[in-house]
Amino acid sequence: MARVLITGASDGLGLAAARSLIADGHAVTAHVRSERRADEVSDRLAGAEAVITGDLADRQETVDVARQANLLGRFDAVIHNAGIGSNEPKKITTRDGNAHVLAINALAPFLLTALIERPKRLVYVTSGMHLQGTADVRDMNWETRPWDAEQAYADSKLVMITLAFAVARIWPDVFANAMEPGWVPTKMAGYNAPDDLSLGHVTQVWLAVGGDPRAAVTGRYFYHQQEQEPLPLAHDERFQDEVLKAMEALTSVVLPR
């Protein structure tokens, strides 16, 4: 039995992954955004070991999510599943002054990675849209560039996959990998999305607890349990260091080396 934390587990792929893990006998802690969602997920996820709450758009609440997680003891795996899409026509700024899509899709996984006791496995749920990312580390927060919602989303997912690869390099004792679920019909992606929702969570679970030797790797990128080639920039160690430095500046938290 493995102990697994899943962010964004109240619906969609996170809920599906949590149900699959519970059905297989694993101990799941579900993260949700609010107390109201905690009540909802308690009904949807009978058998969950625990539910923790916090809005990942908010820095202090994200720090508190890490605190709640650490009080429960070390996890075997953390699945960074929570995310938002590219449907913000105007830049939304969080209370901390960060672009909303950056805060949830990239800064929150960074904070949780840095602050939660190091697990054996880390899974980062990204998107094929990262291939269109540029992630200008001089203006990661879109403070000087004209806002482009689709580009901001692509950039946030490139930052996330770059984080996964940087962690794999810096923490060689951890299996840190990224995966994309495909364009599946969830609330975030839209219910007309063409990919198979029933397969979207499978790779998350496989990377988190699977005994397949193909999952016992680090610094890789997967789609439906098959290794894929990411944007080469994500493997560039200098770029990884620049991304970490930028996120450390935006969050005032340093990733332990």
Side-chain angles (χ1 to χ4, degrees):
M1 180 191 77
R3 300 187 66 242
V4 184
L5 168 63
I6 306 175
T7 66
S10 62
D11 55 24
L13 297 175
L15 179 62
R19 283 174 169 166
S20 176
L21 286 163
I22 290 170
D24 288 341
H26 300 289
V28 171
T29 292
H31 156 265
V32 298
R33 189 171 63 216
S34 63
E35 291 295 338
R36 179 183 65 80
R37 292 210 168 194
D39 291 338
E40 294 173 357
V41 85
S42 294
D43 294 332
R44 297 175 185 173
L45 273 184
E49 182 178 52
V51 178
I52 60 179
T53 61
D55 185 349
L56 298 185
D58 184 280
R59 179 190 178 279
Q60 195 52 51
E61 289 199 34
T62 304
V63 170
D64 192 62
V65 168
R67 180 192 65 81
Q68 294 173 62
N70 287 333
L71 286 174
L72 296 171
R74 186 185 182 203
F75 291 94
D76 296 296
V78 176
I79 301 175
H80 293 284
N81 165 78
I84 59 170
S86 56
N87 56 350
E88 297 181 348
K90 294 183 179 179
K91 180 184 176 183
I92 298 174
T93 302
T94 69
R95 185 172 66 177
D96 307 300
N98 297 314
H100 190 234
V101 67
L102 175 72
I104 294 177
N105 289 356
L107 296 182
F110 168 78
L111 279 168
L112 296 177
T113 299
L115 297 175
I116 290 176
E117 186 177 358
R118 197 177 304 183
K120 298 174 184 175
R121 299 188 182 202
L122 287 162
V123 181
Y124 297 85
V125 181
T126 181
S127 164
M129 284 283 290
H130 87 275
L131 293 167
Q132 300 175 32
T134 55
D136 184 347
V137 293
R138 296 165 299 178
D139 187 21
M140 189 182 292
N141 217 9
W142 291 81
E143 293 172 345
T144 61
R145 291 178 288 169
W147 178 252
D148 182 324
E150 191 168 286
Q151 188 63 56
Y153 173 78
D155 285 4
S156 73
K157 290 301 186 179
L158 173 58
V159 168
M160 191 181 197
I161 193 171
T162 302
L163 170 63
F165 294 167
V167 169
R169 171 171 60 92
I170 293 167
W171 294 350
D173 57 329
V174 174
F175 292 154
N177 295 290
M179 55 78 61
E180 64 162 293
W183 186 14
V184 292
T186 61
K187 182 169 62 178
M188 185 183 83
Y191 293 110
N192 293 321
D195 284 356
D196 188 342
L197 180 61
S198 68
L199 298 177
H201 70 283
V202 172
T203 305
Q204 293 186 34
V205 172
W206 179 70
L207 287 171
V209 301
D212 188 335
R214 293 180 301 139
V217 294
T218 194
R220 311 290 178 85
Y221 170 56
F222 293 90
Y223 171 66
H224 291 341
Q225 298 174 280
Q226 299 297 317
E227 189 172 342
Q228 306 290 311
E229 285 299 319
L231 190 71
L233 185 61
H235 280 306
D236 186 297
E237 293 186 7
R238 180 179 295 180
F239 181 66
Q240 292 173 10
D241 289 340
E242 289 174 349
V243 165
L244 290 179
K245 184 177 179 180
M247 289 197 287
E248 289 169 347
L250 289 171
T251 62
S252 301
V253 170
V254 174
L255 183 76
R257 303 307 202 261

